[in-house]
């Protein structure tokens, strides 16, 4: 793909957020977010407690793969992940490009209240962080390639003020400079979000540059138990897996295989 897909998504997302603000003003969304008194579930704690920590993702489609599981029921998937050993669940809430929604996040939260929930979204505005808290997330994804360093720091601070953890995603050493010192997790995306091409060796190339005390997550392109074994040996604490699970006839058994062969 020659076009910069990330720029297209970012432009779409900013228009989407502005439209949502016209329906529910930002101050009202902020008020609702701070009125939520649910205790968050620690995603980093869940990852550290497991020998093989998989963040299992719900994804219906993607710009690179197209349709993956368009008719999937997020409640069924959440129960499947929760009962088969996932350390956390990632819920894509983008609709135009990935077929997800905030309703998916709320349903997953209600289905598996003990499982840490990551809002997987292209976050460009504080409004989306408020939404994450309101709809049941325990953590939010912040993509370094999508926002400038000052915005990333501000969104990281806001998430922490709302008692949410942060997973800051990078794809290069240059983007690593933007990662806040108090981010809870740093993720290396093996997928280049400008082209959506995938190179799983990207994680291993960057592992030595990642902050020593931060939980380290390898993301995208993980398809086999050997991939996890190699990434774990390199020093990663957790592994975000979506397509390999969602495209399987039995996601629960596939998840158990990933865990069993690496325990």
């Amino acid at each position: 793909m020659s076009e910069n897909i990330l720029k297209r998504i970012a432009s779409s997302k900013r228009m989407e957020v502005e439209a949502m603000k016209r329906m529910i003003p930002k101050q009202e969304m902020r008020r609702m977010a701070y009125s939520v008194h649910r205790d968050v579930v620690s995603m980093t704690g869940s990852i550290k407690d497991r020998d093989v920590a998989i963040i299992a993702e719900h994804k219906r489609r993607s710009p690179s793969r197209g349709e993956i599981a368009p008719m999937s029921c997020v409640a069924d998937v959440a129960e499947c992940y929760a009962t088969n050993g996932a350390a956390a669940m990632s819920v894509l809430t983008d609709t135009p490009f990935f077929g997800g929604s905030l309703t998916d996040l709320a349903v997953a939260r209600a289905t598996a209240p003990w499982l840490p929930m990551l809002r997987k979204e292209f976050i460009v505005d504080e409004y989306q962080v408020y939404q994450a808290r309101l709809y049941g997330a325990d953590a939010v994804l912040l993509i370094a390639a999508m926002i400038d360093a000052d915005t990333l720091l501000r969104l990281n601070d806001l998430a922490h003020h709302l008692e949410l953890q942060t997973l800051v995603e990078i794809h290069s050493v240059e983007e690593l400079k933007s990662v806040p010192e108090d981010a809870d997790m740093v993720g290396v995306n093996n997928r280049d979000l400008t082209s959506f091409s995938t190179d799983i060796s990207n994680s291993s190339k960057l592992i030595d540059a990642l902050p020593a005390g931060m939980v380290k997550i390898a993301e995208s392109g993980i398809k086999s138990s050997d991939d996890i074994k190699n990434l774990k040996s390199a020093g990663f604490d957790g592994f975000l897996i979506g397509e390999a699970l969602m495209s399987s006839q039995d996601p629960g058994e596939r998840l158990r295989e990933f865990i069993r062969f690496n325990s």
Side-chain angles (χ1 to χ4, degrees):
M1 298 180 184
S2 57
E3 66 175 322
N4 189 319
I5 299 175
L6 187 63
K7 285 185 178 179
R8 184 156 60 94
I9 293 175
S11 177
S12 172
K13 194 58 57 178
R14 289 188 174 92
M15 289 189 290
E16 177 185 314
V17 170
E18 291 307 309
M20 290 188 292
K21 287 178 182 177
R22 288 192 288 272
M23 292 186 290
I24 302 177
K26 187 172 183 176
Q27 283 303 108
E28 177 61 12
M29 183 60 68
R30 180 183 186 278
R31 183 196 67 77
M32 290 190 293
Y34 276 105
S35 71
V36 175
H37 299 299
R38 178 189 63 86
D39 291 337
V40 298
V41 187
S42 174
M43 190 166 155
T44 55
S46 183
I47 290 169
K48 291 175 181 178
D49 282 347
R50 285 169 169 77
D51 187 41
V52 181
I54 293 178
I55 304 166
E57 186 162 272
H58 179 260
K59 179 194 295 187
R60 293 191 177 91
R61 65 173 180 264
S62 76
S64 59
R65 175 75 181 270
E67 301 294 344
I68 301 169
M71 303 304 292
S72 68
C73 170
V74 70
D76 291 345
V77 174
E79 184 175 2
C80 171
Y81 288 163
T83 57
N84 285 285
M89 181 173 177
S90 169
V91 182
L92 270 152
T93 60
D94 171 82
T95 302
F97 298 93
F98 290 88
S101 69
L102 279 164
T103 300
D104 286 340
L105 177 59
V107 170
R109 167 84 287 146
T111 303
W114 62 90
L115 187 66
M117 293 288 165
L118 170 72
R119 183 185 187 190
K120 182 82 172 287
E121 180 57 271
F122 297 89
I123 292 180
V124 295
D125 192 283
E126 294 174 349
Y127 193 89
Q128 295 161 288
V129 182
Y130 294 138
Q131 287 178 320
R133 185 67 166 108
L134 182 62
Y135 280 81
D138 301 293
V140 292
L141 179 75
L142 301 174
I143 303 173
M146 195 152 194
I147 48 181
D148 61 58
D150 289 341
T151 301
L152 179 53
L153 180 60
R154 187 175 72 252
L155 294 175
N156 181 76
D157 288 346
L158 174 60
H160 285 164
H161 201 259
L162 286 163
E163 300 181 333
L164 301 174
Q165 293 189 323
T166 54
L167 169 56
V168 179
E169 176 182 293
I170 65 164
H171 183 71
S172 66
V173 172
E174 185 66 25
E175 291 171 6
L176 186 59
K177 298 175 184 178
S178 298
V179 178
E181 292 183 359
D182 63 343
D184 300 285
M185 297 163 279
V186 59
V188 178
N189 197 343
N190 297 310
R191 181 171 288 117
D192 183 344
L193 291 179
T194 62
S195 65
F196 268 65
S197 61
T198 303
D199 177 7
I200 196 170
S201 68
N202 192 52
S203 286
S204 298
K205 291 175 183 175
L206 295 180
I207 185 66
D208 289 338
L210 303 182
M214 205 172 288
V215 172
K216 303 169 185 63
I217 309 297
E219 307 174 30
S220 300
I222 301 170
K223 298 178 180 179
S224 70
S225 295
D226 283 343
D227 289 339
I228 294 177
K229 179 181 178 181
N230 293 335
L231 290 166
K232 185 179 176 183
S233 297
F236 283 93
D237 304 297
F239 316 93
L240 195 153
I241 304 176
E243 290 182 16
L245 296 174
M246 293 298 295
S247 61
S248 172
Q249 290 186 338
D250 188 341
E253 174 58 28
R254 192 79 177 99
L255 177 58
R256 288 197 304 273
E257 286 177 5
F258 281 135
I259 297 170
R260 183 167 62 246
F261 288 112
N262 288 280
S263 298

